[in-house]
Amino acid sequence: MKHHYVHMKKVMRNHWLVACQDSELGRKPLGVTVLDKPIVLFRTEQGVHALVDRCPHRNVPLSAGWVKEDMLVCPYHGWEFDSEGVCQRVPGLCEYTHGTHTSTTAVPVRQQDGFIWVRLSEDIDATTEVIDEDLPDSETNQPFDLSFLNDPSLYSFIWRTSVKGNLLNTVENFLDATHTHYIHAGLIRTDKNRQKVNAKLTAYRDSVEIEYSGESKQAGLISQLLERDRQTSYGRFFMPGIAQIEYRSKKGLSMMITAVTRLTSESVQDIYAIVTVKRGIVPNFIKKLVITPFFKIALKQDIRIVELQQKWIQRYGEESFHSTQADLIRPYIEQLTTGRYYDKPYEKKVMLLL
């Protein structure tokens, strides 16, 4: 998958990528890795800033330093950097005039919907490849819309996890309905209680969606406890690296799970899992107490199989996959993440036994 990852990095650098939750960045600098690039985030009275996480003097991580007024201070020799990465003070010099050789590089950063996002489209160091001009000009001037987190009619809670697997395999696992009968047997579905389900896939410019209809409540414990009825369900992938599952009843949204991926490296994905339900009579903390144990079990099961898959791929030295009509969504995720897309929505219908 090395070849795919090289192309994917070019495409993903055209997007705003999640770096962390806003609540994770306090008074101390925070180091994160996005697409293999170490980034330091720090907060001042002027807002949140991001720099390449390497002091140009002796290459110590700036994330190990501290914030002094509006400056980020390197912990080794005390060099002080402003929000643009310009070194404004070298304590050992009687006189100092800043120049490009003493500066690090600023990274575009935004705060939106409770998350901090960065964009790596500019040449943030000498090794960064030039952006391919032939890549699609997507609507990437804004971070991905997570405004449902601010909807007063909905309640969402978030937890963070990490998976040792590549993006494609991690997202496919999350959105694939056919593994649930085995990896989550009894929890989500069972092999003995399959139903004929209509699956309608629609591929768009920056996303792909599968709508499942004709399925009643699943036989697993989660569905039996948390759903009254089911009209439709959806599996969605959005650029850059956001996956979503939604269940709807006659009354509308029953539950939605959104996985926001921080694209750390080719083989490691940090994921913010957002569970969203409607507000109602039952207090929100009760809903969280009831839902969390089941989803943590399912999440643990998914992480185990993806990491086992990754370990075995590495042992054999490459992926050698063979797919069927049941493997609906992966080809379209592969297309999107390498910059190929449909000018007009593309539809495909399949009947599955789920």
Side-chain angles (χ1 to χ4, degrees), residues 162-166 261-270:
S162 183
V163 182
K164 295 177 182 177
N166 68 43
T261 307
R262 179 168 72 210
L263 310 174
T264 303
S265 67
E266 181 180 14
S267 58
V268 177
Q269 316 303 318
D270 290 309

Side-chain angles (χ1 to χ4, degrees), residues 40-90:
V40 57
L41 304 166
F42 65 104
R43 195 188 298 272
T44 69
E45 291 184 358
Q46 281 66 49
V48 173
H49 316 286
L51 305 175
V52 170
D53 193 9
R54 182 172 68 170
C55 179
H57 181 215
R58 289 296 181 264
N59 296 174
V60 168
L62 294 171
S63 56
W66 59 90
V67 177
K68 176 185 174 184
E69 296 179 347
D70 292 334
M71 299 293 165
L72 178 60
V73 182
C74 175
Y76 197 0
H77 296 92
W79 286 27
E80 298 181 12
F81 299 88
D82 65 17
S83 61
E84 298 301 318
V86 177
C87 180
Q88 298 290 353
R89 180 173 181 249
V90 176

Side-chain angles (χ1 to χ4, degrees), residues 37 51 95 116 125 134 184 195 198 202-203 230 245 252 288 308-309 330 338 342:
K37 180 58 59 180
L51 305 175
E95 295 183 5
I116 296 173
D125 64 16
D134 293 329
H184 310 298
Q195 305 174 50
N198 297 307
T202 308
R230 178 183 299 182
I245 298 172
K288 184 176 181 179
L308 177 62
Q309 177 190 39
R330 186 187 179 100
T338 52
Y342 291 96

Side-chain angles (χ1 to χ4, degrees), residues 2 65 85 117 132 140 190 198 200 233 258 273 301 303 319 324 332:
K2 289 284 185 184
W117 308 75
D132 190 339
T140 56
T190 62
N198 297 307
K200 175 185 174 183
S233 60
T258 307
Q301 292 169 336
I303 290 173
E319 291 181 353
T324 71
Y332 304 93

Side-chain angles (χ1 to χ4, degrees), residues 99-220:
T100 56
H101 65 289
T102 58
S103 299
T104 187
T105 305
V107 177
V109 60
R110 288 193 183 180
Q111 293 172 269
Q112 181 176 299
D113 300 326
F115 285 87
I116 296 173
W117 308 75
V118 295
R119 190 165 181 175
L120 309 180
S121 57
E122 299 178 8
D123 291 340
I124 60 174
D125 64 16
T127 62
T128 302
E129 301 174 32
V130 177
I131 298 298
D132 190 339
E133 293 181 355
D134 293 329
L135 293 176
D137 182 20
S138 305
E139 294 181 2
T140 56
N141 60 328
Q142 297 292 334
F144 182 76
D145 184 6
L146 294 170
S147 57
F148 66 84
L149 291 171
N150 305 312
D151 188 331
S153 69
L154 302 176
Y155 169 64
S156 298
F157 58 93
I158 305 172
W159 71 82
R160 179 183 152 192
T161 189
S162 183
V163 182
K164 295 177 182 177
N166 68 43
L167 177 68
L168 289 179
N169 292 337
T170 300
V171 170
E172 180 185 34
N173 166 268
F174 180 77
L175 295 174
D176 168 41
T178 61
H179 81 282
T180 57
H181 308 78
Y182 299 97
I183 302 303
H184 310 298
L187 193 63
I188 296 180
R189 290 184 173 94
T190 62
D191 188 36
K192 294 181 179 180
N193 294 279
R194 290 181 181 265
Q195 305 174 50
K196 284 188 177 181
V197 177
N198 297 307
K200 175 185 174 183
L201 180 144
T202 308
Y204 302 94
R205 185 180 181 89
D206 284 320
S207 64
V208 58
E209 175 186 87
I210 301 178
E211 177 185 338
Y212 300 98
S213 59
E215 181 183 23
S216 59
K217 282 201 300 185
Q218 296 165 351

Side-chain angles (χ1 to χ4, degrees), residues 148-149 154-156 253-257 274-278:
F148 66 84
L149 291 171
L154 302 176
Y155 169 64
S156 298
L253 176 72
S254 297
M255 183 182 303
M256 185 167 68
I257 310 162
I274 307 170
V275 177
T276 303
V277 294
K278 274 189 173 182

